[in-house]
Amino acid sequence: MTEPAPQPPRDEIILAVEGLSKRFGGVTAVDDVSFNVKQGELLGVIGPNGSGKTTLVNLITGFLQPSTGRVSLKGQDITGGPPYRTAELGLARTFQMVKPFYQLPAFKNVVVALFSPRVKRLAGGAYGDRDAVAKDLLEEVGFERDSWVINKQASVLPHGYLKRLELARCLALRPEVLVLDELFSGLSLAEVASLVPVIEKLMVQGMTIIMVEHRLKELFRIADRVLVLNFGQKIAEGVPAEVMAQPKVRGAYLGSESED
Amino acid sequence: MAAQDTSKQVTRRRERLDRGIKVRSEDIYALNSWREALYLLAPRALPVVALVLLQLLAPEYWQRVLISTTVFALLAISWDLAASSGMVCLGQALFFGVGAYLAGIMNHYLGLPPGLTLPLATLGGGVICTVLLLPVLRLRGIYFAMFTLILPLMIERIIEATKVFGGTEGLSGLTPFAHPLWESFLTMAALWVALFGLRRIMASDYGLVLKGINDNDRAVMSAALNIYRYKAQALFLAAATGAFAGAFMTHSYRFVGMPVFALDYSILPIASAAVGGLGTLAGPALGAFILVPLSEMLRGLGGLRIVIYAVLLVVFTVGLPEGVFHYLRRKYTQFERWTEVGK
Ligand SMILES: Nc1ncnc2c1ncn2[C@@H]1O[C@H](COP(=O)(O)OP(=O)(O)O)[C@@H](O)[C@H]1O
Ligand SMILES: [Mg+2]
């Protein structure tokens, strides 16, 4: 269950974004952004607050209809969703503002995702014991197995666990591309340090990851490439060290916020 | 979860713990012990037995009240099922009215007996209401609610204006049930099938998806689940439950007319859910069993009836905001004690 879905060979373009824009009334939240993501790489997306990162995630995953542009996953057009179809095709996302099922116990949150037709299809028709698989997945993202937390209603879980729950719900789908929207935000240094190996393990397994992140230090340690957004536009893209050396990137970050 | 009392330095907190017998009876070995089996069975069997006895022993007038109470309980269950799946409905009268008219039409024009009209109106009502609401399934919260409120009122006006199906006169002289006892036991059977059957569905993994939609539909979509398909299915179940209630009333009264789309059938289920407690199906059903007989008892009071009724409603909802059912269940499964929390 924990192995990812069969992956195409490395270095093939798995996700292509072409000329994507989104206007909200007068505001252009995402402005003509294009980039490719290769199979098995980790692409970091950074930018000051309000630079359009979450909007970009919503556009890619079908939660928002773009004003212009195209998104394709493995050559298949997925522009404008609907989101359940995008997820069905293997593009899973976490929410920056966590969206657990508050009334349900933690592990039942994951069972919901395990109920999806995609999981059934990948498992060859047999669902198996969803409760057990859900608990395995929660253990994988750092819940202590057999602890009280796994059975607790999500509404009483601390923020750190809710972030992990978001990740577990994505992994339940056995996605081919994982989009993480500020997974580390609101977490302590120790919590981030314990989540990084989880992501690294996914990378080793060949998962393609787009990671929107504010915690630059931790991101740069694991990212293959980063893309910088400012006022909705892509202002730089490349290897982390080189990108951060560019004056316009430093300019965008200077004074606009503190890292962390 | 716990009431805080911060008057002293030491905080006293009310602690709630599961009763030993509740924990034991969740175990598979519950079936080996008659006490634990009884603990599980009693709250399910007791209402069934009580209702059967009441139905047999009550005077004829109260037997009629019991039947209409059961019908409202079905509507309350229908409301709660839709609400638990993220669809707050203000128009149970739609389900009720469509079922009632379907049964009436099939009986009056085609001469079908109740044995056929009831199942056909139940399924047909479920389908028709689902199709009618399909275009607004994407609307959330109050927008969906408003549409369900307006639709039955609109149908009422259409019947009045076009004079179809007997127009304002309605269809009368319809086939009655063979025996009054038949009638009583049919409603009761329907109630238990709907209650236990739908509760079972909500407790399954399929039900988890419905509850997930209620909690956060975007998160369900991100889990590769087509929420509109699930909402349509839940709507069908809710509508079919309500349509059965309507079809039953048509044969019980031997008449169907525009009043089946009246606001009463929309409001009472919601009031029942508020009194009984949301999200369990059993709570709203219990609420109906409190409210409908209460309203009958107050009937002798004339104009003051509504006032007293309203005051009692407020007393219930303020006194037991969690709902009567949740309160009773808590008392049954947990005990309370005061503990001191070091501050
Ligand atoms: N639904 C919306 N309606 C109007 N404006 C929006 C909406 N969502 C985002 N915006 C605007 O788009 C810009 C980008 O927001 P967002 O994508 O959340 O940025 P980030 O995630 O980088 O902090 C902001 O100016 C924000 O106010
Ligand atoms: Mg954001």
Side-chain angles (χ1 to χ4, degrees), chain A residues 13 15 34-39 41-46 203 209-211 219-220 222-228 234 236-241 243:
Chain A
I13 289 175
L15 185 81
S34 303
F35 62 92
N36 291 326
V37 187
K38 286 190 221 132
Q39 167 63 40
E41 80 169 333
L42 192 150
L43 174 72
V45 175
I46 63 173
M203 293 169 71
I209 303 173
I210 299 175
M211 201 165 169
L219 176 69
F220 289 171
I222 51 178
D224 297 307
R225 269 182 329 132
V226 290
L227 182 157
V228 189
K234 180 173 94 174
E237 184 181 356
V239 183
V243 164

Side-chain angles (χ1 to χ4, degrees), chain A residues 53-54 96 181-182:
Chain A
K53 304 182 297 292
T54 296
Q96 179 182 356
D181 194 358
E182 301 208 20

Side-chain angles (χ1 to χ4, degrees), chain A residues 84 99 101-103 116 130, chain B residues 205 215-216 219 221 223 225-226:
Chain A
Y84 44 83
K99 297 194 192 301
F101 306 122
Y102 285 106
Q103 321 162 9
S116 76
R130 292 192 204 94
Chain B
D205 287 351
D215 217 329
N216 203 318
M221 283 199 271
L225 291 158
N226 182 348

